[in-house]
Amino acid sequence: MRPDSLGPEPPDILPRSPHKTYGLMALVRGTSPLVDATPEDAVSTWPHLLLRGLICALVCLSALLAAAMLFDAPLHDPASAAETPDPAKAPWYLLGLQELVHYSAFIGGVLAPGLSLAGLVMLPYLDRSHARRPRDRRTGICLFTLFLLANLVLILIGAWFRGPGWSWTTPWSANTPGGRP
Amino acid sequence: MPSAEPGWIQRLARGRVWRSIFRGEPPGTARGNAQAVFQNLWLHFLPVKVRPHTLRFTYTFYLGGIAFLLFLVLAATGVALMFYYVPSVERAYHSIKDLQFVVSFGPLLRNLHRWSAHAMVVVVVLHMARVYYTASYKAPREFNWVVGVMLLLLTLGFSFTGMLLPWDQAGFWAATVGTGIVGCLPVVGKEVRLLLLGGDSVGQNALLRFYVLHCMALPLAMASLTATHFWRIRKDGGLSLPPSQESMASEERVP
């Protein structure tokens, strides 16, 4: 039975044919081809996504401008191969590797970066499970968090706790060089 | 459909000038909003509609978008810096001093470039962490994760090559230590180091090579891979959804 909500019988545009498995059921007014469905679970990209992006960009640009006006980028003495600063530090994101190189050039220079890179590239192909809820991925989340934390700790050690001769120091001790951001 | 735009946008959008630039119906109606996206060269890779969940700040923290914004800021300030910077051992340091003390807005330009660069490394790593924690690297998005890892490497490459350019002690010794680590690589280490430095130590050849990598090779690679990264988001079915919605969405994936 046709429900009453569909209105009067459709005009005879497509007469029912015994050879067809489809036919015109009804003509209804609406904005979406979905019948009896709530409005699609989607919003238009303009303005919903793009305005949010614009606001986010303005906030970030303001923060950057503020930082650029408040803090000057460091410029050290002119480069000189004759004067080796002690310690000579790599840029901050490589300090973790430099810390490992201090223990073993092979571990810090080859093994750790090689395994990290290979692991990151192959991650989606190694982790074949379809589990997406955090409670089903405890091991993975723990391992990845450990990976991030290990990097962070090594970088912080290299940045703040290594002084002349790569010896232990503290950020507040007198022999710690100015360091770099 | 009720319009979401304030009145002044609509008045502007009905004007002759606006309509000579933007074809199609002005935004405000469903069709106008759709045309605003798919008739725009720079936006046409975006879907016309997105799921509300993907707009939630606490799901993505907009980190990918912020990384892209930082790349644009770096490109713009970088081009401006190139007008003043000379990649020669004799003049590099002095061109930075000029930027600091002679060039109008020079310090602002250099500071913006430097802080955006540091921020980009941090934001790209955070973006990677977000993608991991939301399990967004899983099928069908495996390859886009790989593209993302390459973009992370490029970001580090930018930062590393850029650090040498001021030709100060920090950059010089960072490059010396950094290429020293590269030299530790098995088999190819020494050759790659020679290729990067154009010699045994950090000198004029290295400065020029780092400059060309920083201002030409890496930007081209970055732009190509970023385009691939964005395009793949769409082709892989848009941003990932929470587990409860994802299975539904996978059936409706846009080819």
Side-chain angles (χ1 to χ4, degrees), chain B residues 65-81:
Chain B
I66 295 175
F68 180 60
L69 173 77
L70 289 169
F71 176 65
L72 294 182
V73 171
L74 284 161
T77 53
V79 167
L81 288 170

Side-chain angles (χ1 to χ4, degrees), chain B:
Chain B
M1 174 168 268
S3 148
E5 279 79 20
W8 64 269
I9 290 192
Q10 295 196 17
R11 273 200 303 283
L12 187 70
R14 276 193 291 271
R16 208 180 145 154
V17 175
W18 179 282
R19 298 186 60 179
S20 76
I21 304 171
F22 300 103
R23 290 174 176 280
E25 208 169 294
T29 62
R31 181 189 297 177
N33 287 346
Q35 289 183 344
V37 173
F38 76 73
Q39 293 202 343
N40 184 311
L41 172 64
W42 308 103
L43 301 176
H44 81 275
F45 70 92
L46 290 168
V48 160
K49 290 195 163 198
V50 290
R51 285 171 184 274
H53 180 271
T54 60
L55 300 177
R56 254 182 41 210
F57 180 72
T58 49
Y59 188 65
T60 62
F61 300 95
Y62 298 179
L63 287 164
I66 295 175
F68 180 60
L69 173 77
L70 289 169
F71 176 65
L72 294 182
V73 171
L74 284 161
T77 53
V79 167
L81 288 170
M82 282 173 78
F83 288 124
Y84 298 100
Y85 177 78
V86 185
S88 105
V89 169
E90 288 81 28
R91 295 181 57 190
Y93 189 78
H94 296 292
S95 39
I96 305 297
K97 282 281 182 203
D98 278 355
L99 274 163
Q100 276 193 321
F101 297 109
V102 183
V103 177
S104 304
F105 296 105
L108 184 71
L109 204 56
R110 191 167 104 81
N111 294 349
L112 269 178
H113 197 76
R114 175 67 69 102
W115 301 137
S116 302
H118 285 307
M120 187 163 165
V121 176
V122 174
V123 168
V124 166
V125 169
L126 289 178
H127 175 54
M128 185 179 77
R130 189 288 288 178
V131 170
Y132 183 84
Y133 288 123
T134 56
S136 305
Y137 58 93
K138 297 196 172 186
R141 302 185 175 84
E142 303 102 315
F143 185 66
N144 219 13
W145 167 273
V146 178
V147 176
V149 173
M150 290 190 254
L151 286 170
L152 169 68
L153 286 183
L154 283 178
T155 306
L156 295 181
F158 264 113
S159 198
F160 183 61
T161 51
M163 194 163 179
L164 179 66
L165 302 186
W167 204 248
D168 66 349
Q169 279 289 70
F172 180 86
W173 287 99
T176 303
V177 173
T179 53
I181 293 178
V182 171
C184 294
L185 289 175
V187 191
V188 293
K190 293 222 161 33
E191 277 70 21
V192 175
R193 185 170 179 273
L194 182 66
L195 196 66
L196 276 174
L197 293 182
D200 286 335
S201 59
V202 180
Q204 176 60 62
N205 286 353
L207 181 59
L208 189 57
R209 283 176 190 214
F210 276 47
Y211 176 73
V212 173
L213 283 173
H214 191 79
C215 304
M216 202 67 219
L218 291 176
L220 285 176
M222 192 76 150
S224 318
L225 276 182
T226 304
T228 310
H229 201 57
F230 289 177
W231 181 74
R232 284 300 300 233
I233 299 173
R234 176 88 185 269
K235 291 292 162 184
D236 294 341
L239 293 191
S240 68
L241 296 164
S244 53
Q245 292 180 34
E246 179 78 347
S247 55
M248 231 169 61
S250 65
E251 290 156 18
E252 308 165 6
R253 189 163 305 130
V254 181

